[in-house]
Amino acid sequence: MGRKYFQVVLIATFFCLLSGCQLKHWATNKFLVGPNYCRPNAPVAVDWQDSPDRRVNLSLPNHVDWWSNFNDPVLNRLVDSARQQNLTLKQTGWRIQQARDVRRIITGNLFPQIQQASGAYNRLLTSQATALPAPIKAFDDWSVGAGLAWEVDVWGRFRRSVASADADVQVAEGDYDFVQLSLIADVAETYNLYRVFEQRLEYVRQNIEIQEGLLKISNTKAEKGKTGFTAVHLGSASLEAVRSLEPLLEAGKRQTNNALCLLMGMPTQDLSQLLGDGIIPNAPAEVAVGIPADLLRRRPDIRAAERAIAAQSEQVGIALADLYPSFTITGNIGWDAEKFGDLFGSAANTGAVGPSFRWNILNYGRILANVDLQESGLQALILNYQNTVLEANREVEDSLVAFLKNQERVQHIQKSAVELKEALRLVTIRYEEGDRDYTLVYVMQRELVSVLDQLASAKGDVVESLIKLYKALGGGWEVRCPNASVRDMQVGYTDDSDTPEMMMAPSHSEAPYLSLEDLGNKDVEKTEAGLSKKTAPQEDEELKTAEAEMRQKIENRLKNTVERKDD
């Protein structure tokens, strides 16, 4: 037996050498064939274009619950409700569970792949019409037994499959984080738009009230012959034009209300009781943005794109393993007897055990084509990762410049509104005191309606651009694991021994919709049920050192810039 086993091993080794297998590399690489994953480089800017602006804080951002910066309890309740009830978020949560279930299935391949028990009873009849008939015409056959087959993971096919499944789980978690981040931003933007519609409606109604008063004055003066009816027609035309804005804004407000219902996973209903009266959220004048390199850890979509590369990298190794023979140990034990009473006797015992190998040869290039296919997929994912980093950088730059410039825009429009109000007050006094020309009053009213509407929209644009900036910076996903920090986030590959503890699967119960009273009167728990804290992976020391040097370089540059401005 020992001699035969040695011969099998000798033949297998010979086959490996024939296939070009580099045994030395294979042995020093933890008995794995194929490339080992290394995080690809990503094009990251040194600093932001608006870094010299005093309103831009380069300290490491901590936007775990950035929506609370608006100091709006209604917004806080809406965000908490959406996180608990949004159906899209729940779907994404179950995809995490699916990925974990796939991993459990794949992990089972590390152990004997076939483990079966069997049993049978047969009543056998033999032919008596053959040249050599059986001595027995009919007999019973009872059998029972168990067998297994274990393909030994010589080349790392199964271990790489587990590593790939681990990365797929992290991709699903990154997708969940990004959906949650986007959901929170959508809720905040929609709520802000609702308040903008309210403010615009208030300005329109105030203007309608003023113009109705002026129209009465014009009517009175025209009836007494002090002026002609031209002023009355102009005033009526202006009043109706302003009134036409009211149904348009009310429709927009209703549609925004409906969008909030969808985001919170509830049937469409009037939320005015829940939302109450309010103002456009107040945006802080400054914002912490960190440095561009922080995006590699903060943005869940970047992390998901990077983890997808890690998963595909393992697929290359799996494809390469098909070039080499597979070794299997098979064995079975059983009992076979004519009579059931003799089935478990020693004489009825049967069994077999032994190694075997299987090698796919003459495959007409199919295996190599599959290796090329996996490598092509890997290169495509690397480019997607790099493009995701570039896109994230652009989103931050766009949102940051919009936030800064919208603040300036609001200041100019506010000054314009103040001047127009004063001008309208003066010309109105002149008209009430007997001035016959109504044209200037009409022009001032029309301009003021436009400026006030622009003011409300501009204030909303400041808030919206800040919300988009928070989203672009990757803030908000941390509420799922509130104790995690940006420095804890994994951006590189770790083998099984360093893989962080997997989070518990999200638990989404079939609870009924929260009522308006529930939403208005109680705080929703801020941690997702069933989701636990991630264990922080080991930090990449070289990356930390490089980022620290980059941050110091930026701070020195800004310091010099400020000193030159002061001089």
Side-chain angles (χ1 to χ4, degrees):
M1 176 68 182
R3 183 180 178 183
K4 291 182 177 179
Y5 181 74
F6 176 75
Q7 291 174 344
V8 171
V9 173
L10 204 61
I11 294 172
T13 304
F14 174 71
F15 284 162
C16 290
L17 292 174
L18 284 179
S19 68
C21 176
Q22 300 178 3
L23 293 180
K24 183 177 179 180
H25 173 74
W26 165 72
T28 58
N29 193 37
K30 300 180 181 180
F31 302 103
L32 297 168
V33 297
N36 291 327
Y37 173 67
C38 180
R39 185 180 65 251
N41 294 325
V44 180
V46 177
D47 56 5
W48 309 113
Q49 297 182 60
D50 291 301
S51 294
D53 196 299
R54 294 180 181 273
R55 294 167 292 178
V56 178
N57 188 344
L58 295 180
S59 61
L60 189 65
N62 182 23
H63 300 316
V64 176
D65 55 347
W66 52 261
W67 54 93
S68 63
N69 293 339
F70 296 110
N71 298 316
D72 193 322
V74 176
L75 175 59
N76 296 340
R77 288 197 295 270
L78 290 175
V79 169
D80 292 337
S81 174
R83 288 186 53 239
Q84 280 201 349
Q85 297 186 172
N86 183 266
L87 300 182
T88 302
L89 185 61
K90 290 183 178 183
Q91 292 175 31
T92 311
W94 282 111
R95 292 192 187 105
I96 297 178
Q97 185 59 52
Q98 288 177 326
R100 290 173 183 165
D101 292 337
V102 170
R103 184 193 184 279
R104 290 168 55 201
I105 295 172
I106 293 175
T107 302
N109 288 327
L110 293 174
F111 307 97
Q113 292 84 20
I114 298 176
Q115 305 172 64
Q116 295 177 341
S118 61
Y121 164 75
N122 293 290
R123 177 65 179 174
L124 301 176
L125 296 176
T126 62
S127 174
Q128 298 296 309
T130 62
L132 295 173
I136 302 175
K137 171 66 176 176
F139 62 92
D140 295 334
D141 182 65
W142 296 85
S143 64
V144 65
L148 64 81
W150 187 8
E151 181 181 340
V152 183
D153 193 21
V154 177
W155 314 113
R157 176 189 292 109
F158 299 132
R159 282 170 288 158
R160 286 198 180 278
S161 296
V162 172
S164 180
D166 280 337
D168 284 336
V169 170
Q170 293 168 339
V171 170
E173 291 169 352
D175 291 341
Y176 180 89
D177 290 337
F178 187 71
V179 170
Q180 180 171 242
L181 182 155
S182 301
L183 170 64
I184 295 172
D186 288 344
V187 170
E189 287 184 28
T190 307
Y191 174 73
N192 172 62
L193 184 59
Y194 183 90
R195 293 305 187 197
V196 169
F197 276 120
E198 279 190 331
Q199 186 66 69
R200 293 173 67 186
L201 274 169
E202 182 180 348
Y203 284 148
V204 166
R205 287 164 182 164
Q206 289 176 357
N207 199 279
I208 288 174
E209 185 177 353
I210 293 172
Q211 293 202 30
E212 286 176 342
L214 287 172
L215 184 58
K216 289 181 180 178
I217 295 174
S218 298
N219 268 319
T220 302
K221 294 175 70 172
E223 289 173 355
K224 293 181 178 181
K226 295 181 178 180
T227 61
F229 281 92
T230 302
V232 176
H233 296 310
L234 281 175
S236 297
S238 177
L239 177 59
E240 293 304 321
V242 176
R243 281 176 175 169
S244 69
L245 298 175
E246 192 171 12
L248 180 65
L249 296 176
E250 286 177 344
K253 180 182 175 183
R254 174 70 63 81
Q255 292 165 354
T256 306
N257 174 97
N258 298 340
L260 280 174
C261 290
L262 178 62
L263 291 172
M264 291 191 293
M266 61 170 58
T268 303
Q269 55 190 284
D270 187 5
L271 299 178
S272 57
Q273 180 182 353
L274 166 65
L275 301 178
D277 295 328
I279 61 173
I280 298 173
N282 292 316
E286 298 181 358
V287 62
V289 296
I291 60 175
D294 291 332
L295 293 177
L296 297 182
R297 290 185 176 87
R298 291 196 57 85
R299 290 272 299 228
D301 56 332
I302 292 179
R303 296 200 309 274
E306 185 271 334
R307 290 286 81 202
I309 300 174
Q312 183 60 28
S313 175
E314 303 298 338
Q315 294 297 322
V316 175
I318 294 170
L320 282 170
D322 290 336
L323 290 170
Y324 307 111
S326 61
F327 301 92
T328 304
I329 299 175
T330 58
N332 62 77
I333 186 172
W335 292 264
D336 195 349
E338 180 181 2
K339 297 179 180 180
F340 182 78
D342 298 333
L343 184 60
F344 295 101
S346 59
N349 183 246
T350 65
V353 64
S356 64
F357 78 92
R358 185 183 70 255
W359 198 354
N360 296 320
I361 59 175
L362 300 179
N363 56 79
Y364 306 100
R366 288 190 298 268
I367 296 177
L368 288 175
N370 184 45
V371 173
D372 293 339
L373 173 65
Q374 302 306 323
E375 288 181 345
S376 299
L378 178 63
Q379 294 302 319
L381 288 173
I382 291 174
L383 294 175
N384 176 69
Y385 166 70
Q386 294 172 338
N387 186 68
T388 303
V389 174
L390 289 175
E391 183 67 21
N393 189 90
R394 183 194 66 82
E395 289 176 1
V396 174
E397 291 282 10
D398 288 352
S399 302
L400 182 58
V401 69
F403 172 64
L404 299 176
K405 297 306 178 183
N406 280 329
Q407 285 182 327
E408 299 173 9
R409 179 166 162 254
V410 167
Q411 294 175 358
H412 293 309
I413 296 177
Q414 282 178 331
K415 292 178 181 178
S416 175
V418 169
E419 296 297 333
L420 271 175
K421 285 181 179 179
E422 180 62 19
L424 179 59
R425 186 184 69 84
L426 294 176
V427 297
T428 301
I429 292 174
R430 287 177 53 191
Y431 181 72
E432 291 175 348
E433 291 179 348
D435 191 345
R436 299 175 61 89
D437 187 6
Y438 186 78
T439 305
L440 194 55
V441 178
Y442 168 75
V443 172
M444 292 291 183
Q445 286 177 338
R446 187 176 59 181
E447 189 66 23
L448 183 60
V449 170
S450 175
V451 169
L452 289 178
D453 190 70
Q454 291 179 36
L455 179 60
S457 298
K459 288 181 177 179
D461 290 342
V462 172
V463 177
E464 181 180 354
S465 57
L466 182 57
I467 293 171
K468 289 182 177 179
L469 179 58
Y470 284 137
K471 177 184 176 182
L473 290 170
W477 66 265
E478 302 97 329
V479 292
R480 175 173 57 79
C481 39
N483 294 324
S485 66
V486 175
R487 296 299 183 192
D488 293 335
M489 292 303 102
Q490 176 174 334
V491 293
Y493 171 79
T494 55
D495 59 23
D496 290 341
S497 61
D498 297 327
T499 300
E501 178 185 352
M502 285 177 41
M503 298 173 295
M504 297 296 293
S507 174
H508 298 289
S509 62
E510 297 297 329
Y513 296 113
L514 294 180
S515 65
L516 294 181
E517 290 76 12
D518 292 332
L519 291 173
N521 298 330
K522 74 175 185 179
D523 291 329
V524 184
E525 293 183 3
K526 291 189 176 181
T527 55
E528 187 76 43
L531 289 175
S532 61
K533 173 187 174 183
K534 278 185 180 178
T535 302
Q538 176 137 17
E539 182 55 55
D540 186 339
E541 294 296 335
E542 294 182 0
L543 186 58
K544 285 173 60 179
T545 303
E547 289 183 358
E549 293 175 354
M550 188 182 299
R551 193 184 299 278
Q552 185 63 41
K553 185 186 299 183
I554 295 172
E555 291 176 354
N556 292 338
R557 184 187 301 176
L558 291 177
K559 183 178 179 181
N560 295 335
T561 302
V562 173
E563 289 177 353
R564 287 197 299 269
K565 287 184 178 180
D566 293 340
D567 294 341

